[in-house]
Amino acid sequence: MSANSGDERHRLMHAVLDWAARRTMIVVGGPARFRVIAMLACVLALVAADQGTIGAVGPQIKQSLGITNTELGSLSAVTAAAGALAVLPIGVLTDRLRRVRFLTVCVGLWSVAMLMGGLADSLTWLLLSRAALGALTAAGGPTVVSLVGDFFPAAERARIYGFILGGEMLGVGFGLVVGGALAELVSWRAAFWFLALLGIVFAFVIARKLPEPKRGGQSRLFPGARTTKPKPADEERDGAGRDHDDAARRAVRRRGIGPDPALVLRRDPVRMPLWQATRYVLRIRTNVVLIVASVIGYFFFAGLRTFAVVFVGQQYGLGQVALTGLIPLIGVGALLGVLSGGRVADRLTRRGYISARMVVPAVAYVTAAVFFVPGLLTTSMAIALPFLFVAAASLSAANPPLDAARLDVIHFRLWGRAESVRTFLRVGAEAVAPVTFGLLADALGPDGTTSAQGLRYAFLIMLVPLAANAVVLLRGRDSYPRDVATAAASERLTGTDHRRVR
């Protein structure tokens, strides 16, 4: 009877996994698209796992190296600062080199930097390894953005971004849970070495399995694609082209919205100098609004990521085991948010709401700020959990529509450099966020020491700019349709739309 019961459970589990696999293939559009989405998601997951690990092993690093909370925050800050300095030239390389090969090299070197960090015996050594790591991981943002734009149809970019950014959410949870467990069972160094090993394996997978797509919508992976080597767009869907699969551009044309003559490009911008490209993308009003919203959102998330484990342990009186169980629950909320935010924005765009990719993030930021407040004020984990769950879901739901909207308003030959400018400012905010949160927590805590009270006040203060993001985005929704029309006109006039790029 026991053997039969075991066999029945095995068959049931196999059936459930088989159903989940089939359902996943249907949702993402087939195994070929799934492989590309999974690999791009893993790029972001590796970076996020490292950042999550710093937060998880923070107490062990503090004890091992004898550092303060502010010095612990500097570990995340120096990584972000190095990334901010490196990302601008990386954006240029992304627009000019073979992106997959470039990404493979960066991931391999990133793994070496991670190994060196695990050998650190002083704060200085650890800071130097983190600086090298930050410069290398900066390649992830521009390359992933550019590859998403060329692999997938514009009409479903926000939804696809949701899947890929889901990797980022999983990476943070993986770093917090696995990194914390390894630090508890072995040492914080083991957590670093484990991530380095994963990076080496993944660099090999990228090199072997991820193809280089043609630029500019000339090749796309439409639903049902059987191979990761994309076919020309005119061989797919009976000749459906770039504008035909772009709901925002169709809506703009139907309403007769014209481009901004001052911003329409008339020459291929691929060789445009970095300073000139930077100046151009910062003249696009919608892009500036999206950058501001992204910077503020990631600033808050960086502080939350660094001090969440310390705060939850002190605020709710939880031990390491309870913390390890709590993190996945909050992570599920963040994952649901990132998967749903893009889907909602894409659906509304297809129904004619042109600026949906601006409005959905605005609503998400306000919701996150509102639900964080009671979660931070209570000392009961049972009461706080549902509030924190919804807040995490809302915070992460804003990112896929924001990322998709940036591609909508930028000429595809500038995607890498535009993303590098955005990442430079975003990573700069991430660099100062942990130190800012740490200093506020130390200043507002009893007798100038970091405590749950000090961290609670720091988080509450930082919710104000997070909620203000909604105002920023809503003010920018009127410029979005015109900037979409400008990007489309630029591609036609520069001879680099999908029908003419060869």
Side-chain angles (χ1 to χ4, degrees):
M1 182 67 67
S2 178
N4 291 336
S5 178
D7 290 341
E8 185 65 27
R9 285 197 298 270
H10 178 76
R11 284 194 295 270
L12 178 61
M13 182 176 297
H14 185 272
V16 170
L17 292 176
D18 185 60
W19 175 86
R22 290 198 309 270
R23 182 61 185 168
T24 300
M25 295 303 108
I26 293 172
V27 169
V28 301
R33 284 160 58 104
F34 174 78
R35 285 193 293 273
V36 173
I37 289 170
M39 283 186 278
L40 296 180
C42 284
V43 172
L44 300 185
L46 280 172
V47 178
D50 164 67
Q51 295 166 342
T53 297
I54 286 294
V57 305
Q60 287 81 4
I61 293 178
K62 285 176 59 180
Q63 183 177 3
S64 174
L65 302 181
I67 61 178
T68 65
N69 276 303
T70 301
E71 290 171 327
L72 175 62
S74 71
L75 293 177
S76 296
V78 74
T79 305
L85 293 175
V87 76
L88 292 175
I90 282 174
V92 176
L93 295 174
T94 297
D95 284 337
R96 297 179 182 178
L97 299 180
R98 291 180 64 85
R99 293 157 290 183
V100 173
R101 184 180 300 169
F102 178 56
L103 185 60
T104 300
V105 172
C106 288
V107 172
L109 293 176
W110 173 88
S111 302
V112 174
M114 201 70 184
L115 285 170
M116 297 304 296
L119 296 172
D121 61 359
S122 67
L123 178 62
T124 301
W125 184 343
L126 191 54
L127 284 172
L128 289 175
S129 70
R130 300 298 298 175
L133 188 144
L136 292 164
T137 55
T143 53
V144 168
V145 164
S146 184
L147 289 169
V148 168
D150 284 329
F151 267 125
F152 299 101
E156 51 179 333
R157 272 193 202 130
R159 185 175 72 93
I160 295 298
Y161 258 120
F163 296 132
I164 294 173
L165 292 178
E168 189 173 43
M169 298 295 104
L170 291 174
V172 171
F174 183 87
L176 289 171
V177 174
V178 177
L182 286 173
E184 189 75 15
L185 297 174
V186 186
S187 74
W188 62 268
R189 302 177 191 276
F192 279 31
W193 293 334
F194 181 67
L195 287 180
L197 177 61
L198 290 180
I200 292 171
V201 172
F202 186 59
F204 178 78
V205 173
I206 295 176
R208 293 291 302 275
K209 300 296 184 181
L210 187 63
E212 177 75 21
K214 297 178 181 179
R215 295 184 187 263
Q218 196 179 5
S219 55
R220 291 267 169 79
L221 287 174
F222 289 96
R226 298 179 181 178
T227 174
T228 53
K229 294 181 180 180
K231 298 179 181 179
D234 56 7
E235 294 180 14
E236 298 279 357
R237 285 191 165 184
D238 299 321
R242 181 180 178 86
D243 286 357
H244 287 82
D245 62 48
D246 193 326
R249 290 189 179 184
R250 291 200 309 271
V252 165
R253 283 199 308 273
R254 283 197 304 267
R255 299 189 185 185
I257 299 173
D260 182 348
L263 293 178
V264 173
L265 296 171
R266 290 171 173 79
R267 290 189 301 175
D268 187 348
V270 67
R271 294 295 175 185
M272 185 183 288
L274 178 60
W275 68 267
Q276 190 175 353
T278 301
R279 181 184 176 187
Y280 175 77
V281 299
L282 291 179
R283 290 173 60 201
I284 302 172
R285 181 182 175 187
T286 304
N287 188 48
V288 173
V289 169
L290 294 169
I291 288 174
V292 171
S294 178
V295 165
I296 294 174
Y298 274 93
F299 176 87
F300 182 84
F301 183 67
L304 184 68
R305 179 180 60 218
T306 302
F307 293 104
V309 172
V310 176
F311 173 76
V312 170
Q314 294 179 353
Q315 176 77 357
Y316 309 118
L318 301 180
Q320 184 66 41
V321 175
L323 283 172
T324 303
L326 174 65
I327 290 170
L329 293 177
I330 302 298
V332 168
L335 185 60
L336 290 176
V338 81
L339 292 176
S340 62
R343 182 182 294 271
V344 171
D346 280 352
R347 184 171 298 175
L348 290 174
T349 301
R350 288 195 297 271
R351 292 181 178 179
Y353 297 96
I354 301 178
S355 299
R357 289 175 177 172
M358 307 287 286
V359 176
V360 170
V363 175
Y365 281 130
V366 169
T367 304
V370 169
F371 276 82
F372 263 123
V373 172
L376 293 171
L377 293 178
T378 183
T379 57
S380 169
M381 189 67 253
I383 296 175
L385 184 57
F387 289 104
L388 296 179
F389 185 92
V390 175
S394 301
L395 184 62
S396 62
N399 291 326
L402 291 178
D403 290 337
R406 280 195 300 275
L407 294 181
D408 294 340
V409 300
I410 301 291
H411 190 294
F412 72 87
R413 291 286 196 183
L414 291 169
W415 280 343
R417 280 163 286 179
E419 178 62 15
S420 72
V421 171
R422 197 272 305 199
T423 303
F424 173 80
L425 297 172
R426 189 208 82 190
V427 173
E430 288 183 306
V432 301
V435 175
T436 303
F437 275 70
L439 289 173
L440 273 175
D442 288 342
L444 298 175
D447 301 321
T449 61
T450 299
S451 64
Q453 178 180 326
L455 286 171
R456 181 171 63 248
Y457 288 147
F459 287 137
L460 288 171
I461 290 172
M462 294 305 175
L463 286 176
V464 176
L466 189 69
N469 252 353
V471 178
V472 173
L473 285 165
L474 292 176
R475 285 178 63 87
R477 63 179 175 172
D478 293 334
S479 64
Y480 173 78
R482 193 177 192 188
D483 289 335
V484 169
T486 302
S490 294
E491 290 174 14
R492 289 193 295 271
L493 291 176
T494 57
T496 53
D497 68 350
H498 79 280
R499 294 176 295 275
R500 300 174 67 175
V501 175
R502 298 297 184 213

